[in-house]
Amino acid sequence: MAVSATLLGTFTVGYLIVISLLAYLGYRKTKCADDYMVCGRNIHPIILALSYGATFISTSAIVGFGGLAGQLGMGLIWLTVLNIGVGILLAFAVFGKRTRALGKKLGAMTFPDLMGKAYGSGFIRKAGAMIVVVGMPLYASAILIGGARFIESTFGVTYNTALLAFAVVVAIYVVVGGLIAVMYTDALQGSIMAIGMSILLVLTYVKLGGIREAHAALSSMSDLMPEGLAAAGLTGWTSMPSLGSPIWYTLITTIVLGVGIGVIAQPQLVVRFMTVRNDRSLHRAIAVGGPFIMIMTGVAFTVGALTNVYYLRETGSIALTAAGGNVDSIIPNYINAAMPDAFIVIFMLALLSAAMSTLSSLFHTMGTALGHDLWGAKKNVTSTHKSTQAATIVMIVATIGLAYLMPANIIARATAMFMGLCASALLPAFALALYNKSPSALAAKTSIVTGAAVWFAWTAFIHVKESAALGISSFLFGKDALLAMPWQVVDPLVIALPLSTLALVTMKLWESRASLGSAEQEVEPF
Amino acid sequence: MLGIEDPQIVAAYLAMIACTAACIIYGVSNWNNGGDEDGS
């Protein structure tokens, strides 16, 4: 650790004290289940924008994907375009307003609850909740592992201590203060992240001699591209990979489309649209949320790519080589090596904030899915925030257990997998629920089952990065992937989402035609 | 532009700035719209 322990300790203690105060405020304001799950539908638009953004952007987005930009270059900026255009503008203006109005009309308190009530279907509510209860612990434990590894290296404590301390601190304010505490702390954490990333961009350009000079220096490095990456399609750090190359497919389908579109049907983000009183709050949140995301991923991907210039000047090698081949080390190594001590502390708190804000939202979403959507539905009674608190504790314990079992290198993959599954299974049905006056439950069920099944089949048998890791294809058919290139590098979402959409449209049309036919039969006697 | 020659990367940065500007313009131009309790 490059920075003074006293400085880091002082800032961290101050940070935890403010987090505790905000958690207490959340606890004081939480009087009923409505407060615990949707903040009494009365949250401030700026808090919504910062909370949505801070939940959206985890440590993995900054360190993992920032490091990936150090390896693959500025093509990742296309992901930022989708993060803002789809993840904020489209999500708030098109999906958010309808979600808020429908959620209020139906009295929905979670995403699965909204879907179930919109379709009048217990199956859809439970299917949505099961995706959260079964799939989200993988994502949450990946965030937990990433946070614990970061705390371990920053504060010099053992991994087990870091993991437990991190989980317990977040668990306390989620369980005690509900979504109000989660969103208040998110807003603080989002502010720290925005300050940290803004300073990082400015200091990086200053360090490298200016904007044009830094970019030109990076452009001139293309002949230093490692042979393996060049053979796979990389042409430089300020240019796109060759069209149709394996890296081009991975960049476009998994990173840009997979993560960029996957964000729309994320249960922990959708519920935030139901926390505001009116559309005015959503409009105002868009004006804050767009620039926030640009400052987060736009800066992370730009600085990530530019670390190559810094390392070439300082060590004579590219960033990936200087990081010992570990993409996840590029950003932390660069911060420690190139930035002043005071900024290192701010950036460390920003990363801690990114992990805490995402984890707290996932804990809360899993707790409400189990307590409200599954237990509540089973008992056929209205859940209280006490029962949801109990369910949240159960899900947190399950996540901690899973974190001990999962391999450490699963973080970025688990994130992309959960986002892909949510979008493939839930996005078409979610859109139909919002935009159709009489949405067809049959069409929605067919779409959800199709999306989930195709996503799983493509993940387990075709997309080689996952299918090789899972081993099901190898066990059954003796090979890691059943299709050849380029299908092996096409993300499951790119296949499953169009098919789940097609299933929805087909069933909806079939049902409309069938009901039209029966109506004609009924009027025949006249 | 600004030391970047590939038009696809330049386009990505311009699209990023355009999307951010669109968020600000949309949010500011609708700043006081939809303010009643029902949001209609």
Side-chain angles (χ1 to χ4, degrees), chain A residues 78 97 100 104 215 219 238-240 277-280 283-284 294 302, chain B residues 2-3 6 8-9 13 26-27 30-39:
Chain A
W78 281 111
K97 289 204 269 190
R100 187 203 65 77
K104 187 173 180 181
H215 294 167
S219 296
T238 59
S239 54
M240 285 293 283
R277 189 165 54 178
N278 50 35
D279 285 352
R280 185 171 66 187
H283 296 147
R284 293 178 177 186
M294 186 177 81
T302 303
Chain B
L2 291 174
D6 186 344
Q8 293 182 77
I9 301 294
Y13 274 101
Y26 183 90
N30 287 293
W31 196 258
N32 289 316
N33 293 344
D36 57 314
E37 189 134 340
D38 292 330

PDB file of all heavy atoms in Angstrom, chain A residues 78 97 100 104 215 219 238-240 277-280 283-284 294 302, chain B residues 2-3 6 8-9 13 26-27 30-39:
ATOM      1  N   TRP A  78     -17.897   2.581 -26.802  1.00  0.00           N
ATOM      2  CA  TRP A  78     -19.235   2.257 -27.326  1.00  0.00           C
ATOM      3  C   TRP A  78     -20.134   1.712 -26.214  1.00  0.00           C
ATOM      4  O   TRP A  78     -21.358   1.858 -26.276  1.00  0.00           O
ATOM      5  CB  TRP A  78     -19.150   1.261 -28.489  1.00  0.00           C
ATOM      6  CG  TRP A  78     -18.749   1.931 -29.770  1.00  0.00           C
ATOM      7  CD1 TRP A  78     -17.571   1.786 -30.438  1.00  0.00           C
ATOM      8  CD2 TRP A  78     -19.520   2.886 -30.521  1.00  0.00           C
ATOM      9  NE1 TRP A  78     -17.557   2.588 -31.553  1.00  0.00           N
ATOM     10  CE2 TRP A  78     -18.750   3.272 -31.634  1.00  0.00           C
ATOM     11  CE3 TRP A  78     -20.785   3.453 -30.363  1.00  0.00           C
ATOM     12  CZ2 TRP A  78     -19.192   4.189 -32.581  1.00  0.00           C
ATOM     13  CZ3 TRP A  78     -21.235   4.373 -31.297  1.00  0.00           C
ATOM     14  CH2 TRP A  78     -20.443   4.733 -32.390  1.00  0.00           C
ATOM     15  N   LYS A  97     -40.959   5.921 -16.673  1.00  0.00           N
ATOM     16  CA  LYS A  97     -42.222   6.628 -16.422  1.00  0.00           C
ATOM     17  C   LYS A  97     -43.395   5.657 -16.342  1.00  0.00           C
ATOM     18  O   LYS A  97     -44.244   5.756 -15.469  1.00  0.00           O
ATOM     19  CB  LYS A  97     -42.436   7.675 -17.520  1.00  0.00           C
ATOM     20  CG  LYS A  97     -41.468   8.846 -17.404  1.00  0.00           C
ATOM     21  CD  LYS A  97     -41.985  10.094 -18.048  1.00  0.00           C
ATOM     22  CE  LYS A  97     -41.583  10.209 -19.474  1.00  0.00           C
ATOM     23  NZ  LYS A  97     -41.877  11.521 -20.057  1.00  0.00           N
ATOM     24  N   ARG A 100     -43.125   3.581 -13.070  1.00  0.00           N
ATOM     25  CA  ARG A 100     -43.561   4.344 -11.902  1.00  0.00           C
ATOM     26  C   ARG A 100     -45.091   4.385 -11.823  1.00  0.00           C
ATOM     27  O   ARG A 100     -45.686   4.100 -10.782  1.00  0.00           O
ATOM     28  CB  ARG A 100     -43.005   5.773 -11.980  1.00  0.00           C
ATOM     29  CG  ARG A 100     -43.263   6.611 -10.738  1.00  0.00           C
ATOM     30  CD  ARG A 100     -43.215   8.096 -11.024  1.00  0.00           C
ATOM     31  NE  ARG A 100     -44.282   8.520 -11.917  1.00  0.00           N
ATOM     32  CZ  ARG A 100     -45.545   8.681 -11.545  1.00  0.00           C
ATOM     33  NH1 ARG A 100     -45.908   8.438 -10.301  1.00  0.00           N
ATOM     34  NH2 ARG A 100     -46.459   9.054 -12.422  1.00  0.00           N
ATOM     35  N   LYS A 104     -47.417   2.284  -9.113  1.00  0.00           N
ATOM     36  CA  LYS A 104     -48.277   2.999  -8.165  1.00  0.00           C
ATOM     37  C   LYS A 104     -49.733   2.531  -8.295  1.00  0.00           C
ATOM     38  O   LYS A 104     -50.413   2.276  -7.298  1.00  0.00           O
ATOM     39  CB  LYS A 104     -48.178   4.494  -8.432  1.00  0.00           C
ATOM     40  CG  LYS A 104     -48.904   5.323  -7.407  1.00  0.00           C
ATOM     41  CD  LYS A 104     -48.647   6.781  -7.620  1.00  0.00           C
ATOM     42  CE  LYS A 104     -49.385   7.584  -6.566  1.00  0.00           C
ATOM     43  NZ  LYS A 104     -49.186   9.008  -6.755  1.00  0.00           N
ATOM     44  N   HIS A 215      -3.433  11.180 -26.414  1.00  0.00           N
ATOM     45  CA  HIS A 215      -4.087  10.324 -27.424  1.00  0.00           C
ATOM     46  C   HIS A 215      -3.114   9.984 -28.561  1.00  0.00           C
ATOM     47  O   HIS A 215      -3.078   8.837 -29.030  1.00  0.00           O
ATOM     48  CB  HIS A 215      -5.317  11.030 -28.007  1.00  0.00           C
ATOM     49  CG  HIS A 215      -6.406  11.230 -27.004  1.00  0.00           C
ATOM     50  ND1 HIS A 215      -7.486  12.053 -27.230  1.00  0.00           N
ATOM     51  CD2 HIS A 215      -6.589  10.731 -25.755  1.00  0.00           C
ATOM     52  CE1 HIS A 215      -8.277  12.047 -26.170  1.00  0.00           C
ATOM     53  NE2 HIS A 215      -7.747  11.255 -25.261  1.00  0.00           N
ATOM     54  N   SER A 219      -1.916   6.412 -29.864  1.00  0.00           N
ATOM     55  CA  SER A 219      -2.100   5.983 -31.269  1.00  0.00           C
ATOM     56  C   SER A 219      -0.794   5.448 -31.852  1.00  0.00           C
ATOM     57  O   SER A 219      -0.801   4.475 -32.616  1.00  0.00           O
ATOM     58  CB  SER A 219      -2.576   7.163 -32.134  1.00  0.00           C
ATOM     59  OG  SER A 219      -3.841   7.593 -31.699  1.00  0.00           O
ATOM     60  N   THR A 238      -6.302   2.999 -29.931  1.00  0.00           N
ATOM     61  CA  THR A 238      -7.219   4.086 -30.313  1.00  0.00           C
ATOM     62  C   THR A 238      -7.946   3.723 -31.611  1.00  0.00           C
ATOM     63  O   THR A 238      -8.346   4.592 -32.372  1.00  0.00           O
ATOM     64  CB  THR A 238      -6.471   5.424 -30.508  1.00  0.00           C
ATOM     65  OG1 THR A 238      -5.482   5.235 -31.536  1.00  0.00           O
ATOM     66  CG2 THR A 238      -5.807   5.912 -29.237  1.00  0.00           C
ATOM     67  N   SER A 239      -8.086   2.421 -31.861  1.00  0.00           N
ATOM     68  CA  SER A 239      -8.822   1.990 -33.056  1.00  0.00           C
ATOM     69  C   SER A 239      -9.646   0.754 -32.723  1.00  0.00           C
ATOM     70  O   SER A 239      -9.350   0.042 -31.761  1.00  0.00           O
ATOM     71  CB  SER A 239      -7.841   1.688 -34.193  1.00  0.00           C
ATOM     72  OG  SER A 239      -6.873   0.766 -33.760  1.00  0.00           O
ATOM     73  N   MET A 240     -10.693   0.515 -33.522  1.00  0.00           N
ATOM     74  CA  MET A 240     -11.552  -0.648 -33.284  1.00  0.00           C
ATOM     75  C   MET A 240     -10.837  -1.922 -33.745  1.00  0.00           C
ATOM     76  O   MET A 240     -10.002  -1.874 -34.662  1.00  0.00           O
ATOM     77  CB  MET A 240     -12.861  -0.496 -34.081  1.00  0.00           C
ATOM     78  CG  MET A 240     -13.827   0.516 -33.492  1.00  0.00           C
ATOM     79  SD  MET A 240     -14.495   0.003 -31.883  1.00  0.00           S
ATOM     80  CE  MET A 240     -15.718  -1.200 -32.378  1.00  0.00           C
ATOM     81  N   ARG A 277     -42.293  10.144  -6.631  1.00  0.00           N
ATOM     82  CA  ARG A 277     -43.712  10.463  -6.576  1.00  0.00           C
ATOM     83  C   ARG A 277     -44.300  10.754  -7.956  1.00  0.00           C
ATOM     84  O   ARG A 277     -45.449  10.476  -8.218  1.00  0.00           O
ATOM     85  CB  ARG A 277     -43.933  11.671  -5.643  1.00  0.00           C
ATOM     86  CG  ARG A 277     -45.393  11.927  -5.366  1.00  0.00           C
ATOM     87  CD  ARG A 277     -45.604  12.832  -4.204  1.00  0.00           C
ATOM     88  NE  ARG A 277     -44.887  14.094  -4.331  1.00  0.00           N
ATOM     89  CZ  ARG A 277     -44.954  15.064  -3.441  1.00  0.00           C
ATOM     90  NH1 ARG A 277     -45.686  14.900  -2.353  1.00  0.00           N
ATOM     91  NH2 ARG A 277     -44.294  16.181  -3.599  1.00  0.00           N
ATOM     92  N   ASN A 278     -43.513  11.357  -8.840  1.00  0.00           N
ATOM     93  CA  ASN A 278     -44.092  11.758 -10.125  1.00  0.00           C
ATOM     94  C   ASN A 278     -43.035  11.736 -11.239  1.00  0.00           C
ATOM     95  O   ASN A 278     -41.851  11.511 -10.987  1.00  0.00           O
ATOM     96  CB  ASN A 278     -44.727  13.152 -10.022  1.00  0.00           C
ATOM     97  CG  ASN A 278     -43.771  14.162  -9.396  1.00  0.00           C
ATOM     98  OD1 ASN A 278     -42.558  14.080  -9.625  1.00  0.00           O
ATOM     99  ND2 ASN A 278     -44.278  15.072  -8.604  1.00  0.00           N
ATOM    100  N   ASP A 279     -43.517  11.993 -12.465  1.00  0.00           N
ATOM    101  CA  ASP A 279     -42.602  11.970 -13.622  1.00  0.00           C
ATOM    102  C   ASP A 279     -41.584  13.108 -13.569  1.00  0.00           C
ATOM    103  O   ASP A 279     -40.501  12.996 -14.149  1.00  0.00           O
ATOM    104  CB  ASP A 279     -43.403  12.065 -14.927  1.00  0.00           C
ATOM    105  CG  ASP A 279     -44.098  10.752 -15.259  1.00  0.00           C
ATOM    106  OD1 ASP A 279     -43.826   9.760 -14.564  1.00  0.00           O
ATOM    107  OD2 ASP A 279     -44.909  10.727 -16.199  1.00  0.00           O
ATOM    108  N   ARG A 280     -41.951  14.193 -12.916  1.00  0.00           N
ATOM    109  CA  ARG A 280     -41.015  15.313 -12.811  1.00  0.00           C
ATOM    110  C   ARG A 280     -39.689  14.851 -12.181  1.00  0.00           C
ATOM    111  O   ARG A 280     -38.611  15.239 -12.631  1.00  0.00           O
ATOM    112  CB  ARG A 280     -41.640  16.444 -11.979  1.00  0.00           C
ATOM    113  CG  ARG A 280     -40.760  17.688 -11.921  1.00  0.00           C
ATOM    114  CD  ARG A 280     -41.485  18.855 -11.297  1.00  0.00           C
ATOM    115  NE  ARG A 280     -41.775  18.603  -9.892  1.00  0.00           N
ATOM    116  CZ  ARG A 280     -42.526  19.399  -9.134  1.00  0.00           C
ATOM    117  NH1 ARG A 280     -43.102  20.462  -9.675  1.00  0.00           N
ATOM    118  NH2 ARG A 280     -42.730  19.124  -7.869  1.00  0.00           N
ATOM    119  N   HIS A 283     -37.696  13.051 -14.818  1.00  0.00           N
ATOM    120  CA  HIS A 283     -37.076  13.992 -15.770  1.00  0.00           C
ATOM    121  C   HIS A 283     -35.811  14.603 -15.173  1.00  0.00           C
ATOM    122  O   HIS A 283     -34.765  14.687 -15.837  1.00  0.00           O
ATOM    123  CB  HIS A 283     -38.061  15.125 -16.116  1.00  0.00           C
ATOM    124  CG  HIS A 283     -39.288  14.647 -16.830  1.00  0.00           C
ATOM    125  ND1 HIS A 283     -40.528  15.236 -16.676  1.00  0.00           N
ATOM    126  CD2 HIS A 283     -39.469  13.625 -17.687  1.00  0.00           C
ATOM    127  CE1 HIS A 283     -41.403  14.588 -17.417  1.00  0.00           C
ATOM    128  NE2 HIS A 283     -40.791  13.615 -18.038  1.00  0.00           N
ATOM    129  N   ARG A 284     -35.922  15.053 -13.933  1.00  0.00           N
ATOM    130  CA  ARG A 284     -34.767  15.697 -13.288  1.00  0.00           C
ATOM    131  C   ARG A 284     -33.626  14.706 -13.077  1.00  0.00           C
ATOM    132  O   ARG A 284     -32.450  15.062 -13.196  1.00  0.00           O
ATOM    133  CB  ARG A 284     -35.213  16.316 -11.954  1.00  0.00           C
ATOM    134  CG  ARG A 284     -36.176  17.471 -12.178  1.00  0.00           C
ATOM    135  CD  ARG A 284     -36.670  18.087 -10.887  1.00  0.00           C
ATOM    136  NE  ARG A 284     -37.526  19.239 -11.176  1.00  0.00           N
ATOM    137  CZ  ARG A 284     -38.020  20.055 -10.267  1.00  0.00           C
ATOM    138  NH1 ARG A 284     -37.752  19.860  -8.990  1.00  0.00           N
ATOM    139  NH2 ARG A 284     -38.781  21.075 -10.619  1.00  0.00           N
ATOM    140  N   MET A 294     -21.368   9.192 -17.696  1.00  0.00           N
ATOM    141  CA  MET A 294     -20.234   9.570 -18.546  1.00  0.00           C
ATOM    142  C   MET A 294     -18.966   9.721 -17.700  1.00  0.00           C
ATOM    143  O   MET A 294     -17.882   9.274 -18.088  1.00  0.00           O
ATOM    144  CB  MET A 294     -20.523  10.871 -19.299  1.00  0.00           C
ATOM    145  CG  MET A 294     -19.425  11.204 -20.293  1.00  0.00           C
ATOM    146  SD  MET A 294     -19.723  12.658 -21.280  1.00  0.00           S
ATOM    147  CE  MET A 294     -19.248  13.940 -20.168  1.00  0.00           C
ATOM    148  N   THR A 302     -11.411   5.533 -20.803  1.00  0.00           N
ATOM    149  CA  THR A 302     -10.390   6.395 -21.410  1.00  0.00           C
ATOM    150  C   THR A 302      -9.071   6.272 -20.649  1.00  0.00           C
ATOM    151  O   THR A 302      -8.006   6.042 -21.247  1.00  0.00           O
ATOM    152  CB  THR A 302     -10.863   7.865 -21.405  1.00  0.00           C
ATOM    153  OG1 THR A 302     -12.109   7.929 -22.100  1.00  0.00           O
ATOM    154  CG2 THR A 302      -9.871   8.786 -22.068  1.00  0.00           C
TER     155      THR A 302
ATOM    156  N   LEU B   2      -8.210  15.231 -31.958  1.00  0.00           N
ATOM    157  CA  LEU B   2      -7.544  15.187 -30.646  1.00  0.00           C
ATOM    158  C   LEU B   2      -6.621  13.982 -30.500  1.00  0.00           C
ATOM    159  O   LEU B   2      -6.583  13.320 -29.468  1.00  0.00           O
ATOM    160  CB  LEU B   2      -8.592  15.191 -29.523  1.00  0.00           C
ATOM    161  CG  LEU B   2      -9.383  16.488 -29.352  1.00  0.00           C
ATOM    162  CD1 LEU B   2     -10.477  16.310 -28.316  1.00  0.00           C
ATOM    163  CD2 LEU B   2      -8.476  17.648 -28.945  1.00  0.00           C
ATOM    164  N   GLY B   3      -5.892  13.682 -31.576  1.00  0.00           N
ATOM    165  CA  GLY B   3      -4.912  12.600 -31.528  1.00  0.00           C
ATOM    166  C   GLY B   3      -5.480  11.224 -31.802  1.00  0.00           C
ATOM    167  O   GLY B   3      -4.747  10.241 -31.742  1.00  0.00           O
ATOM    168  N   ASP B   6      -8.891   6.845 -35.827  1.00  0.00           N
ATOM    169  CA  ASP B   6      -9.947   5.927 -36.281  1.00  0.00           C
ATOM    170  C   ASP B   6     -11.318   6.597 -36.148  1.00  0.00           C
ATOM    171  O   ASP B   6     -11.747   6.943 -35.036  1.00  0.00           O
ATOM    172  CB  ASP B   6      -9.902   4.654 -35.422  1.00  0.00           C
ATOM    173  CG  ASP B   6     -10.881   3.594 -35.922  1.00  0.00           C
ATOM    174  OD1 ASP B   6     -11.785   3.938 -36.705  1.00  0.00           O
ATOM    175  OD2 ASP B   6     -10.739   2.423 -35.521  1.00  0.00           O
ATOM    176  N   GLN B   8     -14.186   5.389 -36.148  1.00  0.00           N
ATOM    177  CA  GLN B   8     -15.136   4.637 -35.305  1.00  0.00           C
ATOM    178  C   GLN B   8     -14.965   4.996 -33.823  1.00  0.00           C
ATOM    179  O   GLN B   8     -15.926   4.970 -33.055  1.00  0.00           O
ATOM    180  CB  GLN B   8     -14.933   3.136 -35.483  1.00  0.00           C
ATOM    181  CG  GLN B   8     -15.297   2.632 -36.871  1.00  0.00           C
ATOM    182  CD  GLN B   8     -15.117   1.136 -36.963  1.00  0.00           C
ATOM    183  OE1 GLN B   8     -15.933   0.370 -36.480  1.00  0.00           O
ATOM    184  NE2 GLN B   8     -14.033   0.694 -37.574  1.00  0.00           N
ATOM    185  N   ILE B   9     -13.726   5.295 -33.426  1.00  0.00           N
ATOM    186  CA  ILE B   9     -13.493   5.698 -32.023  1.00  0.00           C
ATOM    187  C   ILE B   9     -13.929   7.155 -31.837  1.00  0.00           C
ATOM    188  O   ILE B   9     -14.549   7.493 -30.828  1.00  0.00           O
ATOM    189  CB  ILE B   9     -11.999   5.521 -31.639  1.00  0.00           C
ATOM    190  CG1 ILE B   9     -11.563   4.063 -31.828  1.00  0.00           C
ATOM    191  CG2 ILE B   9     -11.749   5.986 -30.199  1.00  0.00           C
ATOM    192  CD1 ILE B   9     -12.213   3.062 -30.921  1.00  0.00           C
ATOM    193  N   TYR B  13     -16.813   8.604 -29.162  1.00  0.00           N
ATOM    194  CA  TYR B  13     -16.730   9.740 -28.225  1.00  0.00           C
ATOM    195  C   TYR B  13     -17.809  10.780 -28.534  1.00  0.00           C
ATOM    196  O   TYR B  13     -18.439  11.326 -27.608  1.00  0.00           O
ATOM    197  CB  TYR B  13     -15.329  10.378 -28.274  1.00  0.00           C
ATOM    198  CG  TYR B  13     -14.361   9.675 -27.350  1.00  0.00           C
ATOM    199  CD1 TYR B  13     -13.445   8.761 -27.831  1.00  0.00           C
ATOM    200  CD2 TYR B  13     -14.399   9.907 -25.972  1.00  0.00           C
ATOM    201  CE1 TYR B  13     -12.577   8.088 -26.983  1.00  0.00           C
ATOM    202  CE2 TYR B  13     -13.527   9.250 -25.115  1.00  0.00           C
ATOM    203  CZ  TYR B  13     -12.620   8.344 -25.621  1.00  0.00           C
ATOM    204  OH  TYR B  13     -11.775   7.678 -24.761  1.00  0.00           O
ATOM    205  N   TYR B  26     -33.099  16.833 -22.335  1.00  0.00           N
ATOM    206  CA  TYR B  26     -34.398  16.228 -22.010  1.00  0.00           C
ATOM    207  C   TYR B  26     -34.800  16.545 -20.569  1.00  0.00           C
ATOM    208  O   TYR B  26     -35.927  16.952 -20.291  1.00  0.00           O
ATOM    209  CB  TYR B  26     -34.333  14.713 -22.223  1.00  0.00           C
ATOM    210  CG  TYR B  26     -35.649  14.006 -21.980  1.00  0.00           C
ATOM    211  CD1 TYR B  26     -36.560  13.813 -23.005  1.00  0.00           C
ATOM    212  CD2 TYR B  26     -35.994  13.538 -20.705  1.00  0.00           C
ATOM    213  CE1 TYR B  26     -37.767  13.175 -22.781  1.00  0.00           C
ATOM    214  CE2 TYR B  26     -37.199  12.905 -20.473  1.00  0.00           C
ATOM    215  CZ  TYR B  26     -38.085  12.725 -21.521  1.00  0.00           C
ATOM    216  OH  TYR B  26     -39.287  12.107 -21.281  1.00  0.00           O
ATOM    217  N   GLY B  27     -33.840  16.367 -19.665  1.00  0.00           N
ATOM    218  CA  GLY B  27     -34.142  16.598 -18.249  1.00  0.00           C
ATOM    219  C   GLY B  27     -34.462  18.047 -17.953  1.00  0.00           C
ATOM    220  O   GLY B  27     -35.432  18.351 -17.252  1.00  0.00           O
ATOM    221  N   ASN B  30     -37.777  19.295 -19.542  1.00  0.00           N
ATOM    222  CA  ASN B  30     -38.970  18.750 -18.865  1.00  0.00           C
ATOM    223  C   ASN B  30     -38.886  18.935 -17.342  1.00  0.00           C
ATOM    224  O   ASN B  30     -39.562  18.229 -16.597  1.00  0.00           O
ATOM    225  CB  ASN B  30     -39.102  17.254 -19.179  1.00  0.00           C
ATOM    226  CG  ASN B  30     -39.545  17.003 -20.595  1.00  0.00           C
ATOM    227  OD1 ASN B  30     -40.673  17.320 -20.975  1.00  0.00           O
ATOM    228  ND2 ASN B  30     -38.648  16.471 -21.405  1.00  0.00           N
ATOM    229  N   TRP B  31     -38.043  19.860 -16.899  1.00  0.00           N
ATOM    230  CA  TRP B  31     -37.741  20.024 -15.472  1.00  0.00           C
ATOM    231  C   TRP B  31     -39.000  20.129 -14.610  1.00  0.00           C
ATOM    232  O   TRP B  31     -39.088  19.557 -13.539  1.00  0.00           O
ATOM    233  CB  TRP B  31     -36.868  21.270 -15.286  1.00  0.00           C
ATOM    234  CG  TRP B  31     -36.191  21.338 -13.956  1.00  0.00           C
ATOM    235  CD1 TRP B  31     -36.576  22.095 -12.893  1.00  0.00           C
ATOM    236  CD2 TRP B  31     -35.010  20.637 -13.544  1.00  0.00           C
ATOM    237  NE1 TRP B  31     -35.692  21.912 -11.844  1.00  0.00           N
ATOM    238  CE2 TRP B  31     -34.727  21.016 -12.213  1.00  0.00           C
ATOM    239  CE3 TRP B  31     -34.164  19.715 -14.170  1.00  0.00           C
ATOM    240  CZ2 TRP B  31     -33.642  20.516 -11.503  1.00  0.00           C
ATOM    241  CZ3 TRP B  31     -33.084  19.218 -13.456  1.00  0.00           C
ATOM    242  CH2 TRP B  31     -32.837  19.619 -12.138  1.00  0.00           C
ATOM    243  N   ASN B  32     -39.987  20.892 -15.099  1.00  0.00           N
ATOM    244  CA  ASN B  32     -41.201  21.094 -14.296  1.00  0.00           C
ATOM    245  C   ASN B  32     -42.407  20.339 -14.825  1.00  0.00           C
ATOM    246  O   ASN B  32     -43.524  20.531 -14.349  1.00  0.00           O
ATOM    247  CB  ASN B  32     -41.522  22.582 -14.203  1.00  0.00           C
ATOM    248  CG  ASN B  32     -40.523  23.304 -13.312  1.00  0.00           C
ATOM    249  OD1 ASN B  32     -40.175  22.812 -12.234  1.00  0.00           O
ATOM    250  ND2 ASN B  32     -40.005  24.426 -13.782  1.00  0.00           N
ATOM    251  N   ASN B  33     -42.210  19.480 -15.831  1.00  0.00           N
ATOM    252  CA  ASN B  33     -43.346  18.708 -16.373  1.00  0.00           C
ATOM    253  C   ASN B  33     -43.596  17.453 -15.547  1.00  0.00           C
ATOM    254  O   ASN B  33     -42.672  16.880 -14.998  1.00  0.00           O
ATOM    255  CB  ASN B  33     -43.065  18.289 -17.825  1.00  0.00           C
ATOM    256  CG  ASN B  33     -43.024  19.470 -18.751  1.00  0.00           C
ATOM    257  OD1 ASN B  33     -43.494  20.557 -18.398  1.00  0.00           O
ATOM    258  ND2 ASN B  33     -42.454  19.291 -19.927  1.00  0.00           N
ATOM    259  N   GLY B  34     -44.863  17.034 -15.536  1.00  0.00           N
ATOM    260  CA  GLY B  34     -45.218  15.794 -14.834  1.00  0.00           C
ATOM    261  C   GLY B  34     -45.105  15.929 -13.335  1.00  0.00           C
ATOM    262  O   GLY B  34     -44.785  14.970 -12.642  1.00  0.00           O
ATOM    263  N   GLY B  35     -45.436  17.129 -12.829  1.00  0.00           N
ATOM    264  CA  GLY B  35     -45.221  17.373 -11.408  1.00  0.00           C
ATOM    265  C   GLY B  35     -46.380  17.034 -10.504  1.00  0.00           C
ATOM    266  O   GLY B  35     -46.212  16.982  -9.301  1.00  0.00           O
ATOM    267  N   ASP B  36     -47.577  16.759 -11.075  1.00  0.00           N
ATOM    268  CA  ASP B  36     -48.704  16.414 -10.197  1.00  0.00           C
ATOM    269  C   ASP B  36     -48.501  15.005  -9.654  1.00  0.00           C
ATOM    270  O   ASP B  36     -47.687  14.233 -10.157  1.00  0.00           O
ATOM    271  CB  ASP B  36     -50.048  16.520 -10.930  1.00  0.00           C
ATOM    272  CG  ASP B  36     -50.077  15.632 -12.159  1.00  0.00           C
ATOM    273  OD1 ASP B  36     -49.088  15.663 -12.903  1.00  0.00           O
ATOM    274  OD2 ASP B  36     -51.046  14.899 -12.351  1.00  0.00           O
ATOM    275  N   GLU B  37     -49.287  14.672  -8.637  1.00  0.00           N
ATOM    276  CA  GLU B  37     -49.045  13.418  -7.923  1.00  0.00           C
ATOM    277  C   GLU B  37     -49.153  12.178  -8.811  1.00  0.00           C
ATOM    278  O   GLU B  37     -48.447  11.207  -8.632  1.00  0.00           O
ATOM    279  CB  GLU B  37     -50.026  13.287  -6.756  1.00  0.00           C
ATOM    280  CG  GLU B  37     -49.660  12.125  -5.866  1.00  0.00           C
ATOM    281  CD  GLU B  37     -49.709  12.503  -4.402  1.00  0.00           C
ATOM    282  OE1 GLU B  37     -49.646  13.687  -4.086  1.00  0.00           O
ATOM    283  OE2 GLU B  37     -49.824  11.608  -3.603  1.00  0.00           O
ATOM    284  N   ASP B  38     -50.060  12.255  -9.812  1.00  0.00           N
ATOM    285  CA  ASP B  38     -50.230  11.092 -10.681  1.00  0.00           C
ATOM    286  C   ASP B  38     -49.189  11.060 -11.788  1.00  0.00           C
ATOM    287  O   ASP B  38     -49.104  10.092 -12.523  1.00  0.00           O
ATOM    288  CB  ASP B  38     -51.626  11.090 -11.335  1.00  0.00           C
ATOM    289  CG  ASP B  38     -52.678  10.858 -10.268  1.00  0.00           C
ATOM    290  OD1 ASP B  38     -52.357  10.176  -9.288  1.00  0.00           O
ATOM    291  OD2 ASP B  38     -53.787  11.389 -10.412  1.00  0.00           O
ATOM    292  N   GLY B  39     -48.493  12.183 -11.939  1.00  0.00           N
ATOM    293  CA  GLY B  39     -47.459  12.212 -12.960  1.00  0.00           C
ATOM    294  C   GLY B  39     -47.997  12.332 -14.361  1.00  0.00           C
ATOM    295  O   GLY B  39     -47.276  12.198 -15.331  1.00  0.00           O
TER     296      GLY B  39
END
